[in-house]
Amino acid sequence: MKVLVTGAKGMLGSDLCPVFAEKHQVVATDLEEMDVRDPQVISAVFEQTQPDLVLHLAAMTNVDGCQGMTDQTFLTNAIGTKNLALACQNAHACMVYISTGSVFDGTKNEPYTEFDTPHPRSEYSKAKYQGELLVRELLKEHYIVRAGWMFGGGERDKKFVGKIINLAAQGKKLQVVDDKFGSPTYTVDMARGILKLVETGWYGTYHMANEGCCSRFEYAQKIVELVGIPNHLLEPISSDAFSLPAPRPRMEGIRDYLLHLMGLDWMRSWEEALEDYIKNRLLKEQS
Ligand SMILES: NC(=O)c1ccc[n+]([C@@H]2O[C@H](COP(=O)([O-])OP(=O)(O)OC[C@H]3O[C@@H](n4cnc5c(N)ncnc54)[C@H](OP(=O)(O)O)[C@@H]3O)[C@@H](O)[C@H]2O)c1
């Protein structure tokens, strides 16, 4: 297949493109090559590349940044998705849209399944959810894949795992919230999962996170344990102590219930995936 990827230089994209390139012809694009807000540019890229499958990863992903930029957030995350869905409709291409477990409001006491009803609270999550609705409305042949708290990217990891390691390595005491819960998701596992999913032809909406759920504090504890940094540097703290622009759901954990019901249980536990990422990749790349 000819696979067109948006947001290819991002954390997920940089791990997903090599995985897809093992089996398919990949055309990797990012903001520079194809701004998803611009239907004319999309049309020209589709004409040139004639994709069979579009993996739509591009988005504004800074949740707090999005909170003060509602128009730009909806233009990129919702309308940008609509632009791509229309182009896929026109080109008879299948689309994979990466969404988020934060489309739920977080009031549930356990991880969300695909059968729970979304109720997004932040501008980022609202726009991502509108993107889901537009994909469903415009395309029959689509997969919507909701991810949990993603980690990956290796050397360039500036997100939660990278930040915790850098700060802890400097011997800094870190306060980490223990009242927000989620499902860590390794980008490489997710890329391999999506690769298998698109081979099934079983279109629909799926949760795809590594198995299990933890608090941010438990996640940080596991990270420092794997790196071999003393965990007394970590202090659990309530999220009430941090005032952030965007509301964060208490529960962002998701369960891969559909994959399980359909016999497609591919994702290993988050602890196993995190160990693989930190020991076999991050630490090796840094040494
Ligand atoms: N990270 C997570 O924990 C998480 C969890 C659940 C779901 N997701 C979803 O997974 C997808 C990938 O996330 P990620 O963490 O890999 O994000 P990321 O690292 O921020 O990558 C997103 C990429 O999209 C590009 N982009 C932004 N605006 C664009 C536009 N108008 N046109 C084309 N490209 C544009 C960005 O370019 P610039 O850097 O130049 O802006 C960036 O390279 C996103 O759709 C996100 O909503 C992420």
Side-chain angles (χ1 to χ4, degrees), residues 55 77 151 157 166 175 183 267-268:
L55 304 179
N77 295 1
F151 62 90
D157 188 344
N166 285 338
Q175 295 182 322
S183 305
M267 301 293 274
R268 55 187 164 167

Side-chain angles (χ1 to χ4, degrees), residues 23-261:
K23 284 190 101 171
H24 301 288
Q25 189 186 340
V26 171
V27 180
T29 69
D30 210 278
L31 189 55
E32 254 173 64
E33 298 82 19
M34 186 172 72
D35 185 334
V36 299
R37 294 168 295 188
D38 188 337
Q40 279 167 347
V41 171
I42 294 177
S43 176
V45 172
F46 269 62
E47 196 137 305
Q48 203 188 348
T49 57
Q50 308 275 325
D52 305 297
L53 175 68
V54 175
L55 304 179
H56 177 36
L57 281 46
M60 283 174 63
T61 58
N62 180 334
V63 178
D64 289 318
C66 288
Q67 201 64 15
M69 299 175 71
T70 304
D71 289 357
Q72 277 307 320
T73 303
F74 274 81
L75 182 59
T76 303
N77 295 1
I79 303 302
T81 302
K82 176 174 183 260
N83 293 338
L84 276 160
L86 283 171
C88 287
Q89 194 186 67
N90 198 31
H92 305 289
C94 172
M95 180 168 172
V96 176
Y97 170 59
I98 307 301
S99 189
T100 163
S102 69
V103 293
F104 300 106
D105 62 15
T107 53
K108 201 176 168 186
N109 280 325
E110 56 188 46
Y112 286 87
T113 77
E114 296 85 344
F115 298 107
D116 289 311
T117 306
H119 185 207
R121 293 174 59 215
S122 69
E123 299 304 290
Y124 164 77
S125 307
K126 285 179 192 169
K128 290 294 293 184
Y129 182 54
Q130 288 304 317
E132 287 192 8
L133 298 180
L134 288 158
V135 170
R136 282 193 202 107
E137 183 186 319
L138 293 168
L139 285 176
K140 204 168 127 229
E141 298 185 359
H142 72 258
Y143 301 89
I144 292 168
V145 181
R146 295 190 187 128
W149 291 339
M150 265 201 258
F151 62 90
E155 266 178 343
R156 284 167 300 170
D157 188 344
K158 292 191 181 61
K159 301 216 177 163
F160 191 72
V161 175
K163 269 188 200 159
I164 293 287
I165 293 176
N166 285 338
L167 292 170
Q170 294 166 30
K172 291 197 176 149
K173 237 186 157 24
L174 298 175
Q175 295 182 322
V176 185
V177 299
D178 64 355
D179 55 0
K180 299 284 177 188
F181 301 86
S183 305
T185 307
Y186 186 20
T187 46
V188 171
D189 289 3
M190 198 174 165
R192 296 207 177 282
I194 295 170
L195 182 63
K196 288 191 219 164
L197 184 61
V198 298
E199 283 169 359
T200 64
W202 297 344
Y203 305 117
T205 300
Y206 294 84
H207 288 180
M208 202 179 280
N210 284 112
E211 199 195 305
C213 178
C214 60
S215 69
R216 281 274 178 203
F217 180 71
E218 289 164 333
Y219 189 16
Q221 271 186 316
K222 189 74 193 166
I223 295 166
V224 297
E225 178 199 313
L226 288 167
V227 185
I229 295 171
N231 71 6
H232 61 75
L233 291 172
L234 296 177
E235 186 193 333
I237 187 170
S238 156
S239 54
D240 291 342
F242 287 109
S243 160
L244 294 170
R248 300 296 199 286
R250 181 177 172 277
M251 170 58 70
E252 281 185 279
I254 50 174
R255 186 177 154 211
D256 306 344
Y257 193 35
L258 235 69
L259 289 182
H260 171 71
L261 291 177

